[in-house]
Amino acid sequence: MKSLNLFIKRLIDLFGSLLGLIIISPILIVLAISIKLTSNGPIFFRQERLGKNGKAFKIIKFRTMVVNAEKIGDGLTLKSENDNRITKIGKILRATSLDELPQLFNVLAGQMSLVGPRPPVIYFPYDGFENYPEWAKKRFIMSPGMTGLTQVTVRNSVSWDDRIIVDNEYIDAFNVWLDIKILFKTVYKLFKSENIYMKAEKKQRN
């Protein structure tokens, strides 16, 4: 049964990402032009993340911050929407999660899924896959997702280890219907005004 669910999941990912890219292509073009005209630097932000089985891949997002923002100020941490490293268009993209849309290319390529644990950067919260405790490596059994159970429940309100626990719960409970529920909850949350910035000093935005 799990194999069948995984097969259906991949079909949904394949056709969902392809159809999504076709439908939102005008939006992607407008956003790309807006980013290019309002700030210096590339349109896309690529960053190495840990994917399925701990294999590194480059995630694609619309760039929302100045170039080399991770090496300036608080690094990975964003404490406020008024962080001066965020571009003008970047504030809108981050508030609406539109910066995540290019990850549909990652899904189409099979590096990600529409639903799954969010892929962490290769050096945080642990420095490399091999340094994750055994219990935490479980979250890498499945492909990382654009959204997931953690994102529609605790999101950034808890520590990374607590988020990994929720990711593991998703792995244990996985089925196609759960994915569909998470997708609907994600759409619902997009229309709610929430603070996406963490209050704690040592946490990372997804």
Side-chain angles (χ1 to χ4, degrees):
M1 180 62 73
K2 186 173 182 179
S3 296
L4 177 61
N5 274 282
L6 287 172
F7 176 72
I8 297 174
K9 179 182 178 70
R10 181 52 190 156
L11 287 180
I12 293 174
D13 287 341
L14 185 60
F15 290 106
S17 58
L18 182 59
L19 183 61
L21 285 170
I22 292 173
I23 293 174
I24 67 172
S25 57
I27 297 175
L28 296 178
I29 293 172
V30 170
L31 293 177
I33 294 174
S34 299
I35 293 169
K36 199 63 180 177
L37 292 179
T38 57
S39 64
N40 295 321
I43 293 171
F44 298 108
F45 170 71
R46 294 177 174 84
Q47 184 184 53
E48 277 202 311
R49 299 285 183 106
L50 292 178
K52 186 176 181 179
N53 298 322
K55 182 179 179 180
F57 73 100
K58 287 193 175 182
I59 199 172
I60 308 172
K61 294 186 177 186
F62 277 127
R63 182 175 58 83
T64 61
M65 304 179 75
V66 297
V67 177
N68 294 323
E70 294 172 305
K71 300 177 182 178
I72 305 172
D74 294 314
L76 287 174
T77 305
L78 280 179
K79 301 176 182 178
S80 167
E81 62 182 4
N82 295 318
D83 191 310
N84 58 17
R85 295 173 298 166
I86 303 176
T87 64
K88 291 181 178 179
I89 188 68
K91 290 182 179 180
I92 298 173
L93 294 177
R94 295 177 76 91
T96 57
S97 294
L98 289 174
D99 59 318
E100 310 282 358
L101 291 180
Q103 288 167 47
L104 287 170
F105 288 109
N106 291 119
V107 176
L108 188 62
Q111 299 167 320
M112 292 181 66
S113 176
L114 294 175
V115 179
R118 284 294 293 168
V121 293
I122 59 174
Y123 51 85
F124 185 88
Y126 297 94
D127 190 8
F129 175 72
E130 65 279 0
N131 289 317
Y132 276 74
E134 287 304 315
W135 69 268
K137 288 182 179 180
K138 182 177 182 178
R139 77 185 299 279
F140 296 101
I141 290 176
M142 295 181 67
S143 297
M146 290 183 64
T147 185
L149 183 61
T150 300
Q151 281 59 53
V152 298
T153 54
V154 297
R155 201 173 182 180
N156 294 328
S157 64
V158 299
S159 69
W160 253 101
D161 279 355
D162 286 335
R163 289 155 68 181
I164 292 174
I165 291 174
V166 178
D167 290 335
N168 286 346
E169 290 174 355
Y170 165 75
I171 298 294
D172 290 334
F174 164 70
N175 60 65
V176 172
W177 291 116
L178 177 59
D179 276 16
I180 293 174
K181 289 177 183 178
I182 291 173
L183 286 172
F184 275 109
K185 286 184 178 180
T186 299
V187 173
Y188 171 73
K189 281 184 170 288
L190 287 177
F191 290 95
K192 291 182 64 178
S193 178
E194 294 183 345
N195 183 7
I196 63 173
Y197 302 98
M198 291 171 293
K199 297 178 181 179
E201 293 184 359
K202 298 295 182 179
K203 296 180 182 177
Q204 173 205 13
R205 178 184 182 271
N206 255 345

